[in-house]
Amino acid sequence: MRTVTVVGASLAGLYAARELRAQGFDGRLVVVGDESHQPYDRPPLSKEFLTGRADEADLALTDAGELAGLDARWLLGVRARGLDARGRTVLLDDGRTVSTDGVVVATGAAARHLAGGPRAGVHTLRSLDDARALRAELTRGPCRVVVVGGGFVGAETASSCAALGHDVTVVEAAALPLVPQLGAELAAVCATLHRRAGVRLLTGVSVAGLRGTTAVTGVALTDGRTLPADVVVVGIGAVPNTAWLAGSPLLLNDGVLCDDGCVSALPQVVAVGDVARAGGLRAEHWTSATSQPRAAVRNLLAGRTVRSARSVPYFWSDQYGSRVQFAGRRRDGDTVRVEEGTIADGVPEGGGFLARYERAGRTTAVLAVDRPRAFMRARRELAAQTTGTPATAGGPRPGAT
């Protein structure tokens, strides 16, 4: 390969560019990004950045020295709009084309929006520009904030808004937040984190619509209530950015369909990060975006799948001063065993806890709240059981960014 183009200049795209050089690719490297910013870290957007404990410089994932060392051509502030039938040309929305021998698709995902059109005071939180706009509004003074969606972004945003002194309500359509990820028994613990911090949590109810014409004034719920609101943050999931690939030979179904090595229907095209459905799974987690590029690049340069990118899923979330960490693949029907700490009526007693999800005597997943050392040990054990990696092997620090 003489030219490789990475489409997507965020975390997964940067890691792919690093891997290309680390694995010996010395040809022309082009990185295309729809944002004008150099690669930055997204997890702090809903936490340290929103509360003012971090500024934009703290978000940077790279510096001028590394950028020079990568020897890449960065095309920022321009979107990819197409990939030709052979996967050898990337079409850009400003009319330019990039001829290439290999492509790494790292275009991530976009936030879902509520129906009803744009209004002042209604925000999503996916990009740096989103976070800038929301932070500016939250620093004008106390306001009534309604967070729609109790997932990780919603919970972290609610936590940050509460820390800033705002009146916060979280609206979650499910019976409990994070039920798909954690199951009902332990999702109750995350519900407790909201309530213990003085945040109202309304579950089992959806949004019927927004009130206000040019600016939002309230959120109408399906049970007939209307919540007054000065600021609404919508955290109802994300959609993989694959529209630009329509009409290409790539198979698309909630992401770019790939094998276990992140190789698509075209061997010269691989996909990584939030946009990749590798081996039947699409994981919107920081660790997936940083671990997949190693195998994907190896396979791209080999011209075939020689390495699997499968690993034990891992994510973490900081909410209301507590760190929530999860690893593994929980399934309905798994039993829960609290190994450290005590939980009574959804409330951890005497600090945090470590719990194991089990099936047929084997651990399928582990969850910890404020037990980072115990979690790291359990995570290594789970990796050893799942992948054959020795339990003493090192790995990324919990939450390492």
Side-chain angles (χ1 to χ4, degrees):
M1 288 188 173
R2 299 177 63 85
T3 299
V4 174
T5 301
V6 179
V7 186
S10 193
L11 183 69
L14 173 64
Y15 270 70
R18 287 172 172 169
E19 283 295 334
L20 281 159
R21 293 310 190 201
Q23 295 188 32
F25 176 70
D26 59 1
R28 177 172 173 251
L29 176 57
V30 181
V31 183
V32 178
D34 62 346
E35 295 185 62
S36 59
H37 316 292
Q38 291 288 351
Y40 61 89
D41 207 16
R42 295 181 191 271
L45 294 179
S46 57
K47 301 185 282 281
E48 295 89 349
F49 184 79
L50 205 58
T51 57
R53 291 180 289 125
D55 58 25
E56 293 184 20
D58 298 318
L59 304 178
L61 287 169
T62 186
D63 55 31
E66 184 186 21
L67 290 176
L70 288 174
D71 188 25
R73 183 186 181 193
W74 293 80
L75 303 178
L76 300 179
V78 59
R79 291 180 180 272
R81 66 173 179 85
L83 182 69
D84 76 345
R86 296 181 300 115
R88 303 290 188 181
T89 303
V90 177
L91 313 177
L92 306 181
D93 65 0
D94 63 2
R96 287 180 289 175
T97 61
V98 180
S99 297
T100 190
D101 301 301
V103 175
V104 180
V105 179
T107 43
R112 294 181 185 274
H113 294 263
L114 290 174
R119 289 175 175 83
V122 179
H123 301 263
T124 56
L125 187 52
R126 186 80 187 181
S127 69
L128 176 56
D129 291 338
D130 292 341
R132 283 173 172 172
L134 180 56
R135 186 165 84 162
E137 195 149 7
L138 293 174
T139 54
R140 291 174 188 157
C143 58
R144 299 163 298 182
V145 180
V146 175
V147 178
V148 182
F152 295 110
V153 171
E156 291 173 356
T157 302
S159 173
S160 295
C161 290
L164 291 170
H166 299 296
D167 180 87
V168 184
T169 302
V170 176
V171 178
E172 168 58 49
L176 286 168
L178 300 173
V179 166
Q181 295 87 354
L182 307 182
E185 183 175 348
L186 295 182
V189 174
C190 290
T192 298
L193 295 178
H194 289 289
R195 295 177 176 128
R196 194 165 58 187
V199 171
R200 286 182 296 278
L201 175 62
L202 305 180
T203 59
V205 63
S206 300
V207 172
L210 299 176
R211 297 289 181 259
T213 52
T214 58
V216 69
T217 60
V219 177
L221 305 181
T222 51
D223 63 5
R225 286 179 290 177
T226 296
L227 306 175
D230 306 302
V231 174
V232 174
V233 184
V234 182
I236 54 175
V239 181
N241 287 320
T242 58
W244 69 282
L245 294 168
S248 76
L250 302 188
L251 302 177
L252 309 175
N253 183 10
D254 187 37
V256 178
L257 297 184
C258 305
D259 65 13
D260 283 353
C262 297
V263 179
S264 76
L266 295 174
Q268 68 271 26
V269 179
V270 297
V272 293
D274 292 357
V275 74
R277 178 167 286 277
L281 299 173
R282 189 173 71 84
E284 295 179 13
H285 302 311
W286 193 93
T287 46
S288 298
T290 57
S291 65
Q292 288 176 343
R294 179 170 297 177
V297 165
R298 170 82 180 276
N299 297 333
L300 178 67
L301 297 179
R304 59 189 178 89
T305 302
V306 295
R307 180 170 180 169
S308 171
R310 291 193 69 112
S311 61
V312 177
Y314 164 61
F315 62 79
W316 78 95
S317 178
D318 295 321
Q319 305 173 23
Y320 305 107
S322 290
R323 169 149 289 192
V324 180
Q325 294 172 280
F326 181 92
R329 296 181 175 88
R330 183 201 74 85
R331 293 183 295 168
D332 291 341
D334 288 354
T335 59
V336 174
R337 178 171 60 88
V338 178
E339 185 172 273
E340 292 190 15
T342 305
I343 303 173
D345 297 325
V347 180
E349 296 183 343
F353 68 90
L354 174 76
R356 292 180 181 268
Y357 298 84
E358 297 176 333
R359 177 180 291 266
R362 291 173 62 86
T363 299
T364 59
V366 290
L367 171 71
V369 175
D370 295 331
R371 293 288 175 107
R373 290 180 181 274
F375 175 83
M376 195 61 182
R377 181 180 64 251
R379 182 187 172 197
R380 286 197 298 263
E381 293 170 356
L382 182 62
Q385 171 188 292
T386 306
T387 66
T389 304
T392 55
R397 292 179 291 108
T401 58

